[in-house]
Amino acid sequence: MLKDFVLDLAYYLDTSSTYKKRKLFFYNILENEKNKYKKLIDIFMIILIFISVAVLIRAVKHEVEEYLVFFSSYVISIIFLIEYLFRLWVNSSVSKIIVTRAEYDTFLLREVRLGKALKEVLRVKFLYMISPQSIIDLLAIMPFFHELRLFRIFILFRVFKLFRYAKSFQILASVLATKKFEFLTLGMFASIVIFISSVLIYVMEGNHANSEITSMYRAVYWAIVTISTVGYGDVAPVTNEGRFVAILVIIAGIAVLAFTTSLFVSAFTEKLDEIKETKSIEDVAKLKKIYLICGYGELASTVAKKLQKTGNKIIVLDKNEIMSQRAIKDGFISFAYNPGSIESYHKINLDLDTQIKHILCLHEDDVSNVYSALTIRSINKKVPILSLLMNDLNRKKLDFVGINEIVYPQELVGLITKELVGIPVAFEVIHELRTEHANVKIDELGITQRIIDNYARVGELSNKSYRVVLLGVYKKSKDRFYFNPLDDTLLEVGDYLLVIGYSMFIKEFEKSLHTRVNNE
């Protein structure tokens, strides 16, 4: 039976992986903006559109070669027809609709109503066919019937297909779509003004011997030209009454123009941030070896700027809109997305395997860093993650979520300094720097009374002569760390110096701190 054949075919297609892959392939190259082949298809179709228009223009005053007419009328039309059929196919799944109906009827223990399923298929396909873009696609095929000369004018509808292929046109259309009601109101207002103006000027000028406005059509033409403030001057009122009407129409035209301008400006202003965000996401897709920074505080800002100076690519995620904007002002690609949400990574379409070089969780809050790392690990188990540790009590939590490197704020600042005793520092060597046998290391040197007797201020320290970098001083009395302290900063018993350098140089520097008095 035909019914059984249709059901069997629907079930076969709905469960066939080969069929689904092929359909997905055509969907991607036609509709998926992220597909690498779609851009090539779009460029090819745009070229065909311009060829069609060029042939139409040349045919106005010149004899067009037969092969060009054949190519424009038949070849291009057939290509557009194939594209139209493919779009109609991938727009919805016929087999899915039939299978869903069959399962529904079977569940209710009744005979499968194939007719209802087919009606639903027709309804879905018809809704697609009457959509604006689909109608333009269909009209663009009309030149195929080039024997009917009237249909040749439908070549111009191929120009409207540019809205489908050009991303800028799509953005423009989406921006204007946000003001549908306002533009409808403007259109109604302009139509009423044109209608009233046309009638008035025709009544005032229609019977005057010297008037150019001798028909309603000319009256409408004059009203449109006047209200648009174009003013060609080819048709003008000659009576005082007609000129008075012209004054009113010109004033109304200024109002219409002002209203139109304000609508365009407000529409683009409201969508500007979204447009910029979309452009940033497109830019991200082209980047490789990215440092992804989650959280943008003072320390994250310092880290990002240091990395940028060495030519690294930076992306910032911070759910705080203000901090995200600050990152943008600092010259980074930034999104006001929550780093602890899987949706954020889907939005920016980041491939953590191929695009990310290192992820830095730099929230100045351990809980936020834990959530960010948990989310990242749920997406990718291997990508390297470094996280700040603000409180030692949270170290186990950070270890548990799979963070590769955990550092204190003062350590991190030292690790991203551009030059370290003559060696550029990169995050790939963090582990090496922090191992027990590393040649270069970070160390803390406690300040004793004996050292105070030798060195009272930071500026008196001899660390530079030992090629040791002083990152900062931890003041125990104030429970505060001072990064890159001033030379006149006083040293006190109980303070700690955070230094970085070669192990043997640090040892020699530490020895010098205790032996200066004896040497003197």
Side-chain angles (χ1 to χ4, degrees), residues 469-488:
V469 177
L470 176 63
L471 299 178
V473 177
Y474 170 73
K475 306 288 289 184
K476 185 177 180 180
S477 60
K478 297 182 179 180
D479 190 23
R480 182 177 174 186
F481 179 79
Y482 293 86
F483 170 67
N484 195 19
L486 300 175
D487 288 344
D488 59 355

Side-chain angles (χ1 to χ4, degrees), residues 31 83 141 149 205 371 389 416 435:
E31 302 288 355
E83 180 211 19
I141 301 167
R149 190 171 183 83
E205 297 277 324
Y371 276 114
L389 174 63
I416 52 85
T435 55

Side-chain angles (χ1 to χ4, degrees), residues 430-441 503 507:
I430 287 177
H431 183 68
E432 181 186 351
L433 291 175
R434 301 178 71 244
T435 55
E436 182 179 356
H437 303 293
N439 193 29
V440 178
K441 71 172 187 176
S503 301
K507 288 179 181 179

Side-chain angles (χ1 to χ4, degrees), residues 312-323:
N312 293 293
K313 303 176 183 70
I314 313 294
I315 295 177
V316 176
L317 291 184
D318 195 309
K319 64 181 179 181
N320 188 312
E321 182 72 33
I322 296 175
M323 301 309 294

Side-chain angles (χ1 to χ4, degrees), residues 447 451 454-466 470 472-473 485 487 489 491 497 499 509 512-513 516:
I447 300 297
I451 294 175
N454 295 333
Y455 305 95
R457 300 176 186 276
V458 168
E460 298 173 4
L461 296 172
S462 56
N463 59 294
K464 292 182 180 178
S465 62
Y466 289 92
L470 176 63
V473 177
D487 288 344
T489 301
L491 297 175
L497 303 177
V499 297
F509 171 58
S512 73
L513 293 178
R516 181 177 175 184

Side-chain angles (χ1 to χ4, degrees), residues 178-366:
T178 61
K179 297 290 182 180
K180 286 181 181 177
F181 175 76
E182 290 84 348
F183 278 111
L184 179 62
T185 303
L186 174 62
M188 292 176 63
F189 173 69
S191 299
I192 291 171
V193 171
I194 290 171
F195 175 73
I196 294 174
S197 303
S198 303
V199 173
L200 283 176
I201 200 67
Y202 183 63
V203 170
M204 299 298 178
E205 297 277 324
N207 292 321
H208 196 282
N210 297 325
S211 176
E212 295 285 340
I213 305 173
T214 57
S215 66
M216 193 61 191
Y217 175 77
R218 278 179 166 263
V220 173
Y221 167 76
W222 172 86
I224 293 174
V225 169
T226 305
I227 202 172
S228 64
T229 69
V230 174
Y232 293 125
D234 55 340
V235 178
V238 296
T239 65
N240 290 330
E241 294 83 356
R243 288 169 181 159
F244 178 73
V245 172
I247 292 172
L248 297 179
V249 175
I250 291 170
I251 294 172
I254 294 172
V256 170
L257 191 62
F259 191 10
T260 306
T261 304
S262 65
L263 278 183
F264 274 94
V265 172
S266 63
F268 277 98
T269 301
E270 291 171 7
K271 296 279 287 185
L272 188 60
D273 289 339
E274 184 179 332
I275 293 171
K276 287 182 177 178
E277 188 174 286
T278 302
K279 181 64 170 63
S280 296
I281 292 174
E282 291 176 355
D283 292 340
V284 167
K286 304 172 185 176
L287 298 179
K288 300 291 183 183
K289 297 183 178 180
I290 304 167
Y291 281 95
L292 177 63
I293 296 180
C294 301
Y296 197 75
E298 293 295 332
L299 187 60
S301 174
T302 303
V303 171
K305 289 174 182 176
K306 292 284 186 182
L307 287 171
Q308 190 182 50
K309 285 182 180 178
T310 56
N312 293 293
K313 303 176 183 70
I314 313 294
I315 295 177
V316 176
L317 291 184
D318 195 309
K319 64 181 179 181
N320 188 312
E321 182 72 33
I322 296 175
M323 301 309 294
S324 179
Q325 288 298 320
R326 177 184 169 189
I328 292 173
K329 289 180 180 178
D330 288 342
F332 305 111
I333 297 175
S334 178
F335 301 96
Y337 296 162
N338 182 6
S341 170
I342 292 178
E343 186 181 355
S344 300
Y345 302 93
H346 291 328
K347 282 182 179 178
I348 58 180
N349 196 34
L350 264 180
D351 188 334
L352 300 184
D353 281 318
T354 61
Q355 290 184 273
I356 298 300
K357 186 177 183 180
H358 217 107
I359 295 179
L360 313 177
C361 297
L362 302 184
H363 290 286
E364 296 177 13
D365 167 33
D366 290 336

